[in-house]
């Protein structure tokens, strides 16, 4: 009977971690639905990017208020959760504050945790005020309704509750308080419970302890359904992020080959294609499976912060385009495809839908100026422009569905070697009119 709490703890822990592992497997499977892309180059630069951008939060602090608050929440939350290790060992072995055997350093660390808990709590309240009272514009755009809006708030409430539970757990731990060290903050909460008997305090302490670990396990599993996946994915995403200049277009191998052949005077224009010539792949992307896996990883990593949209000239001038929505749509469609695969025993069955049209409209795609401001603004190295360009490529090369102005320009380039609708010989005619 004395082992019952330990057994219960082991069951809760295994269930929580098991469900998380199942979702991670699904996440990896979905990301792998993307096309292969070679990201094995320049490893040192990639590591540097990951350390600077994901760990060092270098792009977050460009907006100092949000940046500093985010660093506090991020660092605080991660460091405080180191304490989970002690909770797990205590829970499994039935010990109490097992690490306290090391003495003074333990209490110094708990002091630090308590200070961080308060800082995280205050930062989260400021985030909540910015979101819900000040109503920062980027959190109230069209795509930020229903789930994305609630998700942002849920996580703030969650963090407040977890920090509170941590402090209450310390404040009602009579054994811990009697040492009177490491309780730099919780000593001021202890009086809230004065007059309560030892056994009531013990019950509150145990309840806070259980709720704290259960809360952390729920948080862990909530990540998959939330924009907060970036807590984990920011690391691989910044590592695999694009190293070439922003907005640089990749040439299609098949097209490059074709053009080279056209320009080669020694090639027989009437020769039949070689027998082993592969049929041309689909040009561009109309659905998530046509994007590469890094682009799909980007979609899952998006924090929905809206920094990209708040810098996007198309969005700022009232166009329908929002780079954040491009990423959210890509992730939503990818999730839909993943669920389809789950439902159909590992095989995707055509559902008559696709990313292009059902999620992202051509109006949005053609509103993009390709300025790369969104790529520059993103704090976790996401590249919405690359998805827009792939989808435009599909429209142009597979559907010949470019806007008429572009079609005219392309025809002019083809016929006149310039975007203007007149012969090359007439280019200087304007000077005769002066
Ligand atoms: S590249 Fe396109 S989507 Fe990105 S900021 Fe510029 S106009 Fe907006
Ligand atoms: S793409 Fe980047 S900047 Fe845009 S909402 Fe997502 S995380 Fe924020």
């Amino acid at each position: 009977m004395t082992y019952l709490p330990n057994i219960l703890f082991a069951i809760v822990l295994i269930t929580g971690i098991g469900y998380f592992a199942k979702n991670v497997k699904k996440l990896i499977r979905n990301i792998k639905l993307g096309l292969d892309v070679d990201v094995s180059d320049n490893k040192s630069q990639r590591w540097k990017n990951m350390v600077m951008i994901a760990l060092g939060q270098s792009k977050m602090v460009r907006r100092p208020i949000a940046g500093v608050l985010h660093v506090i929440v991020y660092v605080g939350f991660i460091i405080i959760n180191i304490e989970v290790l002690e909770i797990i060992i205590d829970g499994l072995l039935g010990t109490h504050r097992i690490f306290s055997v090391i003495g003074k350093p333990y209490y110094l660390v708990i002091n630090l945790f308590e200070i961080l808990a308060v800082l995280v709590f205050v930062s989260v309240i400021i985030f909540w005020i910015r979101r819900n009272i000040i109503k920062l514009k980027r959190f109230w755009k069209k795509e930020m309704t229903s789930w994305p809006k609630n998700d942002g708030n849920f996580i703030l409430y969650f963090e407040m509750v977890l920090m509170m539970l941590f402090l209450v757990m310390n404040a009602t731990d009579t054994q811990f308080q009697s040492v009177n060290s490491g309780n730099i903050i919780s000593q001021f909460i202890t009086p809230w419970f004065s007059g309560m008997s030892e056994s009531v305090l013990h019950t509150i302490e145990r309840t806070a302890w259980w709720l704290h670990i259960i809360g952390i396990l729920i948080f862990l599993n909530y990540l998959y359904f939330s924009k907060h996946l970036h807590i984990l994915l920011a690391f691989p995403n910044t590592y695999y992020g694009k190293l070439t200049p922003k907005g640089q277009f990749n040439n299609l191998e098949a097209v490059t080959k074709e053009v080279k052949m056209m320009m080669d005077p020694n090639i027989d224009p009437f020769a039949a294609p070689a027998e082993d010539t592969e049929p041309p792949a689909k040009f561009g992307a109309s659905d998530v499976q046509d994007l590469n896996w890094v682009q799909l990883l980007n979609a899952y990593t998006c924090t929905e912060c809206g920094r990209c949209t708040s810098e996007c000239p198309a969005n700022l001038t009232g166009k329908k385009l929002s780079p954040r929505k491009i990423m959210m749509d890509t992730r939503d469609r990818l999730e839909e495809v993943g669920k389809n695969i789950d439902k159909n025993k590992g095989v995707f069955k055509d559902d008559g839908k696709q990313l292009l049209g059902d999620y992202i409209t051509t109006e949005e795609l053609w509103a993009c100026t390709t300025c790369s401001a969104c790529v520059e603004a993103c704090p976790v190295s996401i590249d919405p422009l690359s998805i827009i360009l792939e989808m435009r490529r599909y429209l142009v090369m597979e559907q010949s569905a470019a806007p008429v102005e572009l079609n005219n320009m392309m025809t002019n380039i083809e016929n006149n070697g310039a975007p203007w609708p007149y012969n090359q010989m007439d280019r200087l005619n304007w000077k005769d009119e002066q």
Side-chain angles (χ1 to χ4, degrees), residues 253-265:
E253 209 183 314
V255 176
T256 312
K257 218 161 124 190
E258 191 86 7
V259 171
K260 276 186 183 160
M261 273 167 63
M262 279 164 58
M263 299 184 81
D264 186 347

Side-chain angles (χ1 to χ4, degrees), residues 301-309 324 327 374 377-380 382 384:
T301 309
C302 178
T303 73
E304 296 172 15
C305 67
R307 288 173 183 227
C308 51
T309 298
R324 167 172 56 188
M327 301 318 299
C374 53
C378 183
V380 282
I382 288 172

Side-chain angles (χ1 to χ4, degrees), residues 133-195:
I133 308 282
I134 301 173
K135 294 196 173 178
L136 285 190
K137 230 172 159 187
R138 65 191 159 106
F139 297 127
W140 289 84
K141 295 267 177 183
K142 250 191 277 167
E143 65 270 20
M144 294 306 285
T145 50
S146 59
W147 175 247
K149 181 176 162 229
N150 294 334
D151 180 29
N153 280 327
F154 282 163
I155 218 82
L156 295 179
Y157 301 138
F158 222 103
E159 281 167 6
M160 283 188 226
V161 171
L162 284 179
M163 294 305 111
M164 211 52 223
L165 284 170
F166 171 70
L167 291 171
V168 168
M169 181 181 85
N170 284 356
T172 51
D173 186 340
T174 47
Q175 211 179 316
F176 171 71
Q177 289 297 329
S178 68
V179 180
N180 203 17
S181 180
N183 57 347
I184 191 162
I185 304 290
S186 60
Q187 61 179 302
F188 300 107
I189 301 175
T190 304
W192 299 357
F193 303 92
S194 62

